[in-house]
């Protein structure tokens, strides 16, 4: 009995120690490794997130038309030309023609003739009302043709860009899978930004033109105000030097300036 008991104990000890050894060398039961399991769960979660992201990227919008807006089109200007006074003005306002703008402006404005030029030669710069008016005319003659060209160029470019704008708009509001992948959508965004930049540059040219015209208009108003002050001072001086008041009414008209 003692001998059998020793064999049973030895066998039990052998069985107790055999399972880890077999599992250690890849033989026997599967060993659970918490670290490896956590790593696999993390990898699976990452793959699932990537899959969902790719799935969302290729999924297209089906209700894009609710965002669509309309573009206001500019019509061509047709300036009346009864006696040739506005010859070339319609071309200047509708096309990109700097030379046409200059010609149209000269035709439609009053020129400074040779006799006026002879008179202005004897005036002093900085103290002559006539030379200040000439400066305003020369500024207007420089700025206004550029503005005509800017307006004509803007109208011409809007017509030329209409096909590109329409095509981009159609692709942006396309609800099929043909234009809704991530790369295609990014390309559409880049194209839209490029068109926006072109429009902003064109608007900048128009705003420059407006600022130039406002400068000339302000110059005209400023010269008119200065001329009024100079005229008032001259009238006051003349009345003081040459009193024309009635008897016993000396200097009455000095305080009356219409």
């Amino acid at each position: 009995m003692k001998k059998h008991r020793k064999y049973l104990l030895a066998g039990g000890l052998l069985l107790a120690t055999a399972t880890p050894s077999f599992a250690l060398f890849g033989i026997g039961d599967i060993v659970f490794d918490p670290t490896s399991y956590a790593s696999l769960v993390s990898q699976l979660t990452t793959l699932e997130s990537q899959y969902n992201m790719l799935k969302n990227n290729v999924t297209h919008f089906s209700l894009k038309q609710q965002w669509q807006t309309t573009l206001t089109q500019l019509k061509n200007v047709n300036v009346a030309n009864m006696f040739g006074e506005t010859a070339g003005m319609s071309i200047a306002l509708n096309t990109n023609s700097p030379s046409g703008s200059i010609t149209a402006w000269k035709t439609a404005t009053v020129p400074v003739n040779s006799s006026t030029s002879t008179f202005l030669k004897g005036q002093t710069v900085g103290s002559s009302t006539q030379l200040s008016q000439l400066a305003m005319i020369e500024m207007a003659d420089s700025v206004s043709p550029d503005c005509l060209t800017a307006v004509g160029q803007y109208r011409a470019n809007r017509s030329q860009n209409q096909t590109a704008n329409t095509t981009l708009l159609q692709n942006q509001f396309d609800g099929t899978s043909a234009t809704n992948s991530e790369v295609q959508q990014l390309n559409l965004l880049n194209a839209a930004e490029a068109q926006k930049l072109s429009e902003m540059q064109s608007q900048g040219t128009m705003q420059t033109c407006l600022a130039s015209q406002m400068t000339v208009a302000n110059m005209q108003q400023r010269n008119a105000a200065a001329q009024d002050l100079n005229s008032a001072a001259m009238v006051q001086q003349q009345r003081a030097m040459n009193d024309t008041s009635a008897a016993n009414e000396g200097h009455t008209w000095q305080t009356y300036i219409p």
Side-chain angles (χ1 to χ4, degrees):
M1 292 295 294
K2 292 181 179 180
K3 185 176 182 180
H4 288 295
R5 185 177 296 175
K6 291 180 179 179
Y7 285 138
L8 289 175
L9 291 174
L13 291 174
L14 179 62
L15 291 175
T17 58
T19 301
S21 298
F22 292 158
L24 180 62
F25 294 102
I27 303 174
D29 295 336
I30 299 176
V31 178
F32 175 76
D33 187 352
T35 304
S36 299
Y37 178 77
S39 177
L40 291 174
V41 172
S42 177
Q43 294 177 15
L44 179 61
T45 304
T46 302
L47 290 174
E48 185 179 6
S49 299
Q50 293 176 352
Y51 169 76
N52 291 331
M53 181 184 67
L54 293 174
K55 181 181 178 181
N56 293 332
N57 287 340
V58 299
T59 301
H60 62 269
F61 293 100
S62 59
L63 297 175
K64 283 187 173 183
Q65 298 302 322
Q66 63 183 338
W67 304 327
Q68 186 173 5
T69 57
T70 58
L71 178 65
T72 302
Q73 300 293 334
L74 290 174
K75 69 180 186 67
N76 289 338
V77 176
N78 186 15
V79 182
N81 185 24
M82 186 174 295
F83 303 106
E85 68 280 1
T86 59
M89 191 65 72
S90 295
I91 297 176
L93 290 173
N94 294 309
T95 62
N96 181 14
S97 178
S99 59
S101 299
I102 295 175
T103 301
W105 179 258
K106 287 183 177 180
T107 303
T109 55
V110 178
V112 178
N113 56 39
S114 58
S115 59
T116 303
S117 300
T118 302
F119 165 73
L120 293 176
K121 288 180 180 179
Q123 304 297 313
T124 302
V125 176
S127 60
S128 172
T129 302
Q130 290 74 23
L131 287 181
S132 66
Q133 292 177 343
L134 177 63
M136 181 186 63
I137 293 173
E138 291 171 338
M139 287 181 62
D141 288 343
S142 176
V143 169
S144 297
D146 284 345
C147 291
L148 290 175
T149 302
V151 173
Q153 184 181 30
Y154 187 79
R155 281 195 171 90
N157 288 345
R158 293 274 287 189
S159 299
Q160 294 176 1
N161 295 336
Q162 183 175 0
T163 301
N165 290 331
T166 302
T167 302
L168 178 62
L169 188 66
Q170 291 175 350
N171 290 331
Q172 286 177 327
F173 289 97
D174 180 22
T176 66
S177 300
T179 58
N180 280 273
S181 68
E182 182 180 12
V183 174
Q184 289 168 330
Q185 287 295 307
L186 290 176
N187 287 334
L188 290 175
L189 289 175
N190 289 335
E193 289 298 322
Q195 288 190 359
K196 184 188 298 184
L197 177 61
S198 178
E199 178 66 20
M200 290 176 62
Q201 291 174 340
S202 298
Q203 292 289 339
T205 301
M206 300 293 292
Q207 292 174 5
T208 301
C209 169
L210 291 175
S212 301
Q213 293 284 17
M214 288 179 63
T215 301
V216 176
N218 289 337
M219 184 178 184
Q220 181 179 14
Q221 294 179 355
R222 185 266 177 199
N223 287 343
Q227 182 62 31
D228 287 342
L229 293 176
N230 293 337
S231 298
M234 181 187 67
V235 171
Q236 182 75 2
Q237 183 181 16
Q238 291 296 325
R239 287 172 178 171
M241 295 175 59
N242 304 288
D243 188 15
T244 59
S245 303
N248 300 323
E249 295 183 2
H251 304 291
T252 300
W253 292 104
Q254 287 185 353
T255 58
Y256 177 75
I257 300 178

